[in-house]
Amino acid sequence: MEVLSVKRQSLWGPVRDFATCRGIAKGPVFIVASGSSAKDFPLQRFADIPMITLNGAISMFEGSGIRPFFYVCTDTGFPLQQPDLYASALSLSRRLALWPDEIEAAQTSTSAEIYPLTKASRSTLYESAFNPQPDVVRSREFWRSRSRTLGFSKDLSAGYFDARTVAYAALQIAYHVGFTQVFLVGVDLTQAAGRFYETAGRAISPCGLDDYFESRILPSMKLMADRVVDERFSVYNLSQTSRIPDAVIPKVSVEQAEDIIFSGLSF
């Protein structure tokens, strides 16, 4: 009923269910995040490859002529803290993944397809132990209460699992829409290094990466690496300074990424 309410009240027109975009894509995709290493990514070199971008990383697309395949924002404070970047996201992106409240409160028009985000339900003991839904991969550590909120959703109709980094939501969207090779850009997860777009004179949004890296971010990435990544779905990290260990998500150079995409190699 919540999604139906959004459809009636949104100033943007029709709001779509995630089921309507399942399996619409294939091949490689770049997930462009806001870590400081993203400033070195040659965006135009991969202009023909779909891009999913997050929060303030939309600034890389301004004036580029490249429209993100998806824009994802899970930070409810971001539209108020960075209104100009948020407006750019609404204007430039082909699809938006946002909270229902953000959709209802929107005052700016957009031609993008709009998909309301919902969180996957907390696992019951039975779901943690037996994982009865193959498209909802849940942590098996059912004896730990916190672990019952960890998982990976292959079908966003069932909601997504929040790892306290929007990049993890984007990974679930990439799987949902059908991409098979995912390349992470700017997923440094280093709070002290800041975001590449937070230059002098620009507002700085709060950051809690250090608070959640060990308890939520890294366990979620490990779960994905162990139980989701396979011959059909691979993930690579272009950030050489990322806190995600190479054993969890392998680090590759831009040249290696090109080889994977255009030559069919793997690393």
Side-chain angles (χ1 to χ4, degrees):
M1 295 302 293
E2 184 177 33
V3 172
L4 292 177
S5 174
V6 171
K7 286 182 179 178
R8 288 194 297 269
Q9 296 180 37
S10 172
L11 298 177
W12 294 345
V15 176
R16 305 184 181 220
D17 189 281
F18 265 106
T20 64
C21 68
R22 193 176 189 196
I24 63 171
K26 61 181 180 180
V29 66
F30 286 90
I31 292 177
V32 182
S34 304
S36 61
S37 69
K39 65 181 181 293
D40 299 321
F41 176 63
L43 191 71
Q44 291 293 343
R45 193 162 159 182
F46 298 97
D48 293 333
I49 305 298
M51 309 265 182
I52 298 173
T53 195
L54 323 170
N55 295 348
I58 190 67
S59 63
M60 287 186 66
F61 295 83
E62 295 176 327
S64 71
I66 301 171
R67 296 187 66 194
F69 183 88
F70 242 112
Y71 173 78
V72 189
C73 183
T74 58
D75 180 357
T76 57
F78 184 81
L80 297 176
Q81 296 153 4
Q82 308 287 350
D84 55 336
L85 292 178
Y86 190 66
S88 288
L90 303 189
S91 173
L92 296 174
S93 305
R94 298 180 185 276
R95 297 169 185 84
L96 305 170
L98 307 171
W99 291 113
D101 287 349
E102 296 301 320
I103 298 170
E104 292 185 1
Q107 299 297 317
T108 305
S109 63
T110 178
S111 61
E113 297 176 8
I114 307 159
Y115 296 87
L117 289 166
T118 59
K119 285 188 181 182
S121 62
R122 178 186 176 87
S123 301
T124 64
L125 289 174
Y126 176 81
E127 288 170 332
S128 296
F130 298 103
N131 208 78
Q133 298 172 279
D135 288 332
V136 182
V137 180
R138 298 178 182 274
S139 171
R140 293 186 176 122
E141 296 183 5
F142 57 86
W143 59 90
R144 297 178 58 192
S145 176
R146 178 179 293 175
S147 294
R148 280 188 251 148
T149 61
L150 300 180
F152 186 98
S153 180
K154 299 178 179 180
D155 181 355
L156 270 290
S157 298
Y160 84 98
F161 287 90
D162 178 18
R164 298 304 176 99
T165 173
V166 65
Y168 197 67
L171 281 160
Q172 293 166 83
I173 289 174
Y175 192 106
H176 173 91
V177 300
F179 291 116
T180 54
Q181 295 174 323
V182 182
F183 298 88
L184 302 179
V185 175
V187 184
D188 304 350
L189 302 174
T190 304
Q191 183 168 326
R195 305 175 179 95
F196 74 86
Y197 63 87
E198 290 179 337
T199 55
R202 177 176 287 282
I204 297 177
S205 300
C207 182
L209 290 174
D210 288 348
D211 295 332
Y212 297 106
F213 183 78
E214 295 293 341
S215 62
R216 294 199 65 83
I217 298 173
L218 186 57
S220 295
M221 295 293 183
K222 285 181 176 178
L223 180 147
M224 178 191 71
D226 293 342
R227 298 178 53 202
V228 179
V229 169
D230 56 18
E231 65 281 354
R232 174 247 179 267
F233 184 75
S234 54
V235 182
Y236 302 94
N237 195 349
L238 270 72
S239 171
Q240 304 306 311
T241 60
S242 176
R243 291 173 74 184
I244 304 171
D246 192 73
V248 177
I249 299 179
K251 294 182 173 70
V252 297
S253 66
V254 169
E255 291 72 26
Q256 287 174 320
E258 279 189 314
D259 287 339
I260 294 168
I261 293 170
F262 299 114
S263 304
L265 300 179
S266 59
F267 289 84

